[in-house]
Amino acid sequence: MFLRDVFGINLYASGFNLFSFWGLALTYLYFQLPLMVLIITPALDGLKAEWREAAEIMGASRRQYWLMVALPVLTPTILGCFLLLFANAFGTLATVYALTGSHFDLVPIVLFAQIR
């Protein structure tokens, strides 16, 4: 309703369905993005301003700073965040099953059917 009222975009007129693949992807994004922000924000806050300043003094561009200083420091956090979000998405069988039933052969649904 927000997209329709504010931006004039009617998703349902274009064929969007909450019980389809894209609806399921939107549902996953709805609860995965806030979790990602909660995990990544402290790591970004932990980047020291002195590191950026030192890189600038030595003639590094912004891109070089991010590729050679910030990204190596953030890599463990990014990998941990990826693994946590994957495990969280893998474990949300109830969301997938409630929205789509067994229409999509996702790994959690197939495993649930095999165990059951």
Side-chain angles (χ1 to χ4, degrees), residues 91-109:
T92 56
L93 173 66
T95 303
V96 176
Y97 206 72
L99 282 177
T100 64
S102 59
H103 297 304
F104 290 110
D105 287 333
L106 298 175
V107 174
I109 291 178

Side-chain angles (χ1 to χ4, degrees), residues 12-29:
Y12 292 107
S14 64
F16 177 78
N17 185 0
L18 188 60
F19 305 109
S20 67
F21 171 79
W22 292 110
L24 187 62
L26 183 68
T27 305
Y28 269 99
L29 284 174

Side-chain angles (χ1 to χ4, degrees), residues 19-90:
F19 305 109
S20 67
F21 171 79
W22 292 110
L24 187 62
L26 183 68
T27 305
Y28 269 99
L29 284 174
Y30 181 75
F31 63 84
Q32 294 285 46
L33 281 177
L35 182 59
M36 183 206 60
V37 169
L38 285 173
I39 295 169
I40 295 291
T41 301
L44 288 173
D45 206 28
L47 290 175
K48 297 184 191 291
E50 292 87 11
W51 297 342
R52 184 183 44 79
E53 293 167 0
E56 287 175 359
I57 289 171
M58 293 172 47
S61 66
R62 276 184 188 245
R63 184 170 189 254
Q64 287 174 322
Y65 164 73
W66 280 102
L67 287 177
M68 296 180 184
V69 178
L71 190 60
V73 170
L74 293 174
T75 299
T77 303
I78 292 170
L79 290 176
C81 180
F82 174 76
L83 290 173
L84 180 66
L85 292 176
F86 178 78
N88 186 28
F90 195 83

